[in-house]
Amino acid sequence: MKMTLRLLSAALLPLLAAHALAADSARNARLDDQTQLPKAPTRPVGQTYFQPPAEADIPNNAFGELVRRGQDLFMNTKALAPQYVGNEMNCVNCHIDRGRKANSAPLWAAYTMYPAYRKKNNKVNSFVERMQGCFQFSMNGKPPAADSEVMTALTAYAYWMSTGVPIGKAQPGRGFDEPPPPKGGYDIARGKAVYGKQCALCHGDDGAGKKVGATSVFPPLWGKDSYNWGAGMHRINTAAGFIQHNMPLGRGRTLSDQEAWDVAAYVNSHERPQDPRLVNGDIDEARKRYHADDGVNLYGVVVDGRKLGQGVQ
Amino acid sequence: MSLSPTRSLAFCLSASLLALPLQVGAADGEAIIQQGGANPAAMPCMSCHGADGKGMAAGGFPRLAGLPEAYIAKQLADFKAGRRENPLMQPIAQALGDAEVAAVAKAYAAKPKVNVKAGPVERPKEGSGAWLALRGAWDRHIPECTLCHGPSGVGVGDAFPPLAGQSAEYIEAQLRAWRGTPAQPAGKKTKAVAAVAPTRSNDPNGLMRHIAADLSEAEIKAVAAYFAGLGESTEPFDESQHRLR
């Protein structure tokens, strides 16, 4: 009996694997969406941002366990779900304070806005797909399946954090609240100076960040262990918003619009892992399809005599 | 070009001054720790920082063993320059020559680092010291302390010193040194108390001072107790393992 079972599973395994592959490529075909979020409504004067429930309010039952597991994964993605992460990043690196901080793309402002319809390509994007996008691009990894334990836990965490947010009503504090582009444009050389003074202490002159043993503490900003060329953060406008609100760490809102744009441009003028949507190794084609119309970015653009978007491994 | 007498005197003087650091170039860090520096005002470090360099809680003397070399050298330079004020430590730092600073920093950095066990994910209670350490207070722009001082407070690179391995007394004293105290107006029965200016202002880019300034007295005590309570483990930690947030 045991023997036949074993035989049976041996025969089935390759079949199952082939099935998984097919599912993977079906998913990949849809991964064209780290496009920009719509601008969030501004916070009315005198009002606070939405306050998500306190950690102490997570119930002590099976649901609460799942929520806590989601929070642990969100903060320790590389350590707890290494099979899905291709760089040295964790979700919390860009979604500050465990995904709770306003203007750091908080989860409470996201969950109730999905499934989202996008007119541009007449597609509907689910919440899980949006998170899969962050795995594929921000984490330069392989997204977990929609029904996987990891996705279920992350979804439970976001659902719990959104307790009390009306469905489908955009909240102030969503996304990264980008500063307007400076009048004279941005300047990479000026950005380099800002970086040297305000950022290199933590993220390193080489942008590689800093680790303690195996654990990334100051996350990499460029190079092989950072987000890839398809990630939302590779847009200068998006990075400028994140940086202005949250960096230097603990001293957010101290950089001017100009400084935020300059330093974001400097960060995003470095090589990083290739955009997984690259078509036939053709950077220009990938720029035309995915980058030309995606905010302000340097993919496929020649900077200092070198075409960006080569990718690093 | 001919040198005037005073000029040539100055030239000789500065030449001999230049030669000085060369003489102490061979400064022995371990000897300074145990016997003090060439200038007697540079008392033996171990008399306060402990025979093993792990500090003495009661006196508020910090652990130096295993701190980053560059961090130790920077602190000694900061004491000398008055960016960090302390009646005990400033005269000692001032009495150390450059080569002595370099040697003693190297010697202390080579001693064992604090060894903290890595555990499972912690579940801190809101309002506790552990909460500040692991969650911060982002509504006041205070990141979790471990984000800069490393998971389990073991320190990151040269600029972010470990908090693990330091006593509550020392951690509290440093937080108060950055914060200073605001003036107290006279009450019905109490006299007015003048403000105490911060005595430590040496944090790069002001990364630390605004955090200390925004902590309440109770929070200072609680967070200091948390890091002091991490203790030191005798089991070696496998550095290929992750430390969880």
Side-chain angles (χ1 to χ4, degrees):
Chain A
M1 174 61 190
K2 256 191 190 153
M3 192 62 193
T4 45
L5 253 184
R6 224 181 268 154
L7 273 175
L8 200 69
S9 59
L12 270 175
L13 260 178
L15 267 177
L16 283 173
H19 181 78
L21 264 180
D24 258 336
S25 53
R27 197 158 58 223
N28 279 336
R30 281 213 310 246
L31 281 174
D32 58 350
D33 31 38
Q34 273 259 300
T35 42
Q36 230 161 322
L37 299 175
K39 192 172 164 45
T42 42
R43 181 173 54 146
V45 193
Q47 263 186 39
T48 53
Y49 292 112
F50 172 77
Q51 298 295 310
E55 198 172 324
D57 297 341
I58 301 177
N60 284 317
N61 55 24
F63 172 70
E65 275 311 298
L66 197 61
V67 171
R68 284 194 193 92
R69 167 80 176 150
Q71 178 173 287
D72 294 350
L73 282 163
F74 199 80
M75 294 170 74
N76 302 281
T77 328
K78 178 72 181 182
L80 301 179
Q83 67 274 38
Y84 303 120
V85 179
N87 57 16
E88 292 292 337
M89 312 275 298
N90 299 303
C91 309
V92 66
N93 293 157
C94 303
H95 302 278
I96 302 280
D97 191 18
R98 297 162 284 148
R100 300 167 70 95
K101 192 169 172 294
N103 302 314
S104 188
L107 293 176
W108 48 259
Y111 183 80
T112 58
M113 299 308 289
Y114 294 85
Y117 173 64
R118 290 221 336 264
K119 208 170 160 187
K120 196 163 121 190
N121 51 7
N122 196 32
K123 274 183 185 165
V124 178
N125 198 201
S126 72
F127 184 73
V128 162
E129 281 167 341
R130 184 82 214 202
M131 289 199 293
Q132 286 176 326
C134 266
F135 271 103
Q136 174 105 29
F137 301 108
S138 302
M139 316 291 280
N140 192 35
K142 189 177 168 300
D147 58 356
S148 61
E149 183 262 347
V150 165
M151 271 306 171
T152 310
L154 286 169
T155 309
Y157 179 50
Y159 165 81
W160 167 79
M161 204 189 289
S162 311
T163 310
V165 181
I167 297 226
K169 191 164 179 296
Q171 297 294 307
R174 187 184 183 195
F176 295 118
D177 180 33
E178 301 164 10
K183 281 222 171 63
Y186 61 81
D187 184 277
I188 294 176
R190 250 185 348 234
K192 183 180 180 175
V194 174
Y195 187 85
K197 276 204 209 98
Q198 302 257 24
C199 323
L201 182 73
C202 296
H203 293 288
D205 285 326
D206 57 359
K210 282 203 173 63
K211 284 176 134 186
V212 166
T215 310
S216 167
V217 181
F218 300 141
L221 300 188
W222 64 82
K224 67 177 175 52
D225 292 323
S226 189
Y227 53 90
N228 69 34
W229 275 114
M233 195 63 90
H234 100 289
R235 289 188 302 263
I236 295 170
N237 49 314
T238 301
F242 171 85
I243 291 166
Q244 194 179 38
H245 280 284
N246 305 297
M247 293 291 139
L249 189 70
R251 305 199 60 231
R253 305 231 46 102
T254 55
L255 298 181
S256 67
D257 292 1
Q258 182 75 61
E259 287 169 320
W261 271 79
D262 289 347
V263 77
Y266 175 68
V267 166
N268 283 330
S269 67
H270 288 88
E271 277 301 339
R272 50 187 67 263
Q274 185 53 266
D275 185 338
R277 300 163 301 185
L278 180 72
V279 252
N280 302 326
D282 188 342
I283 298 175
D284 296 331
E285 181 59 27
R287 169 150 190 99
K288 212 158 71 199
R289 271 207 222 171
Y290 301 113
H291 297 264
D293 204 15
D294 187 21
V296 182
N297 71 81
L298 295 171
Y299 184 87
V301 173
V302 176
V303 172
D304 283 340
R306 212 170 163 272
K307 186 182 282 178
L308 290 170
Q310 312 285 334
V312 282
Q313 277 170 355
Chain B
M1 183 185 94
S2 72
L3 290 170
S4 72
T6 42
R7 273 253 189 104
S8 57
L9 184 67
F11 179 76
C12 284
L13 258 178
S14 60
S16 59
L17 275 177
L18 271 178
L20 247 180
L22 277 182
Q23 275 170 22
V24 268
D28 177 349
E30 201 54 48
I32 299 169
I33 293 173
Q34 290 174 21
Q35 294 142 33
N39 179 336
M43 292 184 278
C45 321
M46 63 178 271
S47 56
C48 292
H49 292 284
D52 53 3
K54 291 189 181 178
M56 289 200 267
F61 306 134
R63 175 188 181 121
L64 301 180
L67 298 192
E69 185 178 339
Y71 175 79
I72 297 177
K74 174 181 178 290
Q75 297 310 309
L76 292 170
D78 291 342
F79 280 123
K80 282 192 198 201
R83 288 184 290 267
R84 191 173 170 181
E85 297 168 37
N86 181 270
L88 288 178
M89 201 46 225
Q90 264 179 302
I92 296 173
Q94 273 148 7
L96 289 171
D98 290 353
E100 288 179 313
V101 166
V104 78
K106 196 173 183 146
Y108 270 123
K111 291 183 190 292
K113 277 193 169 76
V114 63
N115 177 26
V116 192
K117 246 190 164 145
V121 173
E122 273 184 69
R123 308 262 175 237
K125 287 242 151 33
E126 215 151 326
S128 66
W131 181 273
L132 264 177
L134 302 166
R135 300 283 187 261
W138 281 94
D139 51 334
R140 288 178 277 159
H141 306 286
I142 301 178
E144 49 268 42
C145 317
T146 51
L147 206 45
C148 283
H149 291 284
S152 329
V154 297
V156 189
D158 286 342
F160 300 90
L163 298 181
Q166 299 295 12
S167 63
E169 289 84 347
Y170 178 69
I171 296 174
E172 286 180 22
Q174 297 315 301
L175 292 171
R176 291 191 195 107
W178 262 304
R179 187 181 64 162
T181 44
Q184 296 281 335
K188 267 191 187 140
K189 287 181 183 158
T190 54
K191 281 189 182 164
V193 184
V196 179
T199 53
R200 190 169 175 176
S201 57
N202 65 335
D203 48 332
N205 292 336
L207 287 171
M208 187 57 221
R209 68 188 70 168
H210 74 96
I211 294 173
D214 272 347
L215 293 177
S216 70
E217 192 51 35
E219 286 175 324
I220 287 181
K221 286 215 157 73
V223 76
Y226 172 80
F227 282 108
L230 290 176
E232 180 148 29
S233 161
T234 47
E235 256 174 69
F237 175 70
D238 171 5
E239 287 294 340
S240 69
Q241 296 301 301
H242 277 284
R243 291 185 184 273
L244 300 177
R245 275 170 83 172

